[in-house]
C-alpha cells in the first residue's frame, strides 16, 4: 500500500436548519470555503461536525454529499466511530465504497470495556477496509479512550497492514514521543498527526499532518502556521502559534457552540 499523507486536514462543521435538519445548501458553501482556503484533505464528520449527534443515515448522506461536492479535488477522510463495533465496521465499509481515501475511528465511548475488548473493537474496524486506517486519541473528549497506549498501538501495527497512524488530541508529549519512537522501529512510514492546532509542539515531536477545525475561522493563519512548521522552523512559528492558541482557548471556553459562533463572528 502506498503511503497516504493527509497534510493539512480541515474538519468542517455540519450546518443545520431551524428544524434540525442538515442544511445541505449551506454545507455546500462550507465545503467550497475550505477548498478555497488551502485544505489538503477534508475529514468528516469529526467532533467539529457533531458526529455523535447524527444518525447513521445522516452520516452516510453527508459523507456521500461531501465526496460528490469535492469531486476528487482533495482526499476525503471518513470518521466512522461508534461504541457498537458492528455499527462502526459497517460505517467504515460504506465509507470505502463511497470513495473515502481513509477512515478514522476512536475507541468505544460513554462506556469503558476492558483493554482487550477495546483492542478488538479497534482492530475489527481497521480490518474491515483496505484503505488507510487512523486511530483518534482524544482522552479529554471521549472517556473510553484511556485504554489507548503505546502497547496497544504496537499490537495494532502488527495486526493491521493498513494502520497508518495516530491522530493525537491529548497534547501529551510523553505519549506522542513513546508512539513515534516505538512505532517507527516497526514501520518507518507510520504517522503521528496533530489532532488540534498545537502544531509547534506536535511537529517538534514528529507529527507530519494536522486536523484543524479553526481553519473555518482563521484559514490563512492556520495554513501559514502549517507551512512553516512543515519546514521545521519552529522558532519562526512561535508568534503565529501563540495567536492561534489564543483563538483555540477562546473558542473552547465558549462551549459547544463556540466554533459556529466564531464562524458567525467572522
Amino acid at each position: 500500500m502506498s503511503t497516504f499523507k493527509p497534510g493539512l486536514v480541515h474538519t468542517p462543521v455540519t450546518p443545520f436548519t431551524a428544524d434540525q435538519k442538515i442544511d445541505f445548501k449551506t454545507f455546500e458553501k462550507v465545503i467550497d470555503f475550505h477548498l478555497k482556503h488551502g485544505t489538503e484533505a477534508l475529514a468528516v464528520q469529526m467532533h467539529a461536525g457533531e458526529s455523535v449527534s447524527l444518525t447513521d443515515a445522516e452520516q452516510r448522506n453527508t459523507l456521500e454529499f461531501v465526496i460528490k461536492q469535492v469531486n476528487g479535488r482533495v482526499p476525503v477522510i471518513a470518521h466512522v466511530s461508534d461504541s457498537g463495533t458492528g455499527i462502526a465496521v459497517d460505517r467504515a465499509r460504506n465509507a470505502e465504497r463511497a470513495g473515502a481515501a481513509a477512515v478514522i475511528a476512536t475507541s468505544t465511548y460513554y462506556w469503558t470495556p476492558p483493554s482487550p475488548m477495546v483492542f478488538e473493537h479497534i482492530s475489527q474496524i481497521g480490518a474491515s477496509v483496505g484503505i488507510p486506517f487512523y486511530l483518534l486519541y482524544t482522552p479529554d473528549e471521549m472517556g473510553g479512550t484511556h485504554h489507548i497506549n503505546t502497547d496497544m498501538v504496537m499490537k495494532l501495527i502488527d495486526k493491521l497492514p493498513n494502520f497508518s497512524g495516530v491522530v493525537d488530541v491529548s497534547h501529551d508529549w510523553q505519549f506522542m514521543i513513546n508512539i513515534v519512537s516505538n512505532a517507527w522501529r516497526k514501520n518507518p512510514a507510520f504517522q503521528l498527526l496533530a489532532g488540534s492546532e498545537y502544531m509547534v509542539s506536535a511537529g517538534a515531536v514528529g507529527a507530519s499532518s494536522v486536523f484543524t477545525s479553526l481553519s473555518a475561522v482563521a484559514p490563512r493563519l492556520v495554513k501559514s502556521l502549517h507551512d512553516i512548521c512543515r519546514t521545521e522552523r519552529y522558532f519562526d512559528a512561535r508568534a503565529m502559534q501563540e495567536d492561534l492558541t489564543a483563538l483555540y482557548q477562546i473558542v473552547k471556553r465558549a462551549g459547544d457552540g463556540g466554533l459556529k459562533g466564531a464562524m458567525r463572528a467572522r
Side-chain angles (χ1 to χ4, degrees), residues 23-254:
D23 184 349
F24 284 102
K25 185 176 180 179
T26 300
F27 205 6
E28 181 177 339
K29 296 178 181 177
V30 169
I31 298 305
D32 285 344
F33 176 88
H34 288 291
L35 292 172
K36 290 175 182 176
H37 284 87
T39 187
E40 296 171 357
L42 288 173
V44 293
Q45 294 81 22
M46 300 301 291
H47 299 320
E50 301 178 66
S51 59
V52 296
S53 302
L54 302 177
T55 66
D56 241 18
E58 287 173 331
Q59 291 217 12
R60 291 171 189 250
N61 289 341
T62 51
L63 175 62
E64 291 167 4
F65 174 84
V66 171
I67 290 173
K68 182 178 180 180
Q69 182 71 13
V70 168
N71 194 27
R73 286 175 284 180
V74 298
V76 176
I77 302 168
H79 182 208
V80 300
S81 296
D82 193 271
S83 285
T85 305
I87 297 172
V89 164
D90 193 50
R91 287 179 180 171
R93 289 173 176 164
N94 177 74
E96 185 174 35
R97 288 193 298 267
V103 296
I104 180 171
T106 188
S107 69
T108 56
Y109 43 85
Y110 303 136
W111 68 298
T112 54
S115 184
M117 292 179 67
V118 174
F119 174 80
E120 187 63 25
H121 173 83
I122 294 169
S123 61
Q124 284 193 33
I125 299 170
S128 69
V129 295
I131 55 179
F133 169 66
Y134 291 92
L135 177 61
L136 176 64
Y137 180 55
T138 174
D140 290 339
E141 293 180 339
M142 294 295 185
T145 59
H146 67 280
H147 286 297
I148 296 175
N149 52 36
T150 304
D151 181 60
M152 181 177 289
V153 171
M154 297 307 108
K155 291 178 181 178
L156 288 168
I157 292 174
D158 289 336
K159 187 170 184 177
L160 300 173
N162 64 328
F163 182 33
S164 298
V166 171
V167 179
D168 177 81
V169 197
S170 72
H171 308 143
D172 182 340
W173 277 51
Q174 191 60 56
F175 173 79
M176 291 189 283
I177 291 170
N178 285 342
I179 291 297
V180 296
S181 61
N182 288 278
W184 288 348
R185 293 192 187 102
K186 287 179 173 287
N187 178 9
F190 192 80
Q191 301 166 56
L192 174 69
L193 302 88
S196 73
E197 289 78 11
Y198 286 86
M199 299 183 212
V200 170
S201 55
V205 172
S208 57
S209 301
V210 60
F211 280 49
T212 166
S213 59
L214 292 182
S215 54
V217 182
R220 291 185 182 90
L221 178 59
V222 168
K223 187 176 188 308
S224 295
L225 179 59
H226 179 260
D227 288 348
I228 201 168
C229 287
R230 182 177 267 169
T231 62
E232 300 184 6
R233 291 181 290 130
Y234 300 120
F235 183 81
D236 296 337
R238 179 175 176 177
M240 285 184 285
Q241 181 66 85
E242 289 175 348
D243 287 344
L244 198 54
T245 299
L247 177 60
Y248 178 91
Q249 294 297 332
I250 290 169
V251 171
K252 185 176 180 179
R253 282 198 301 269

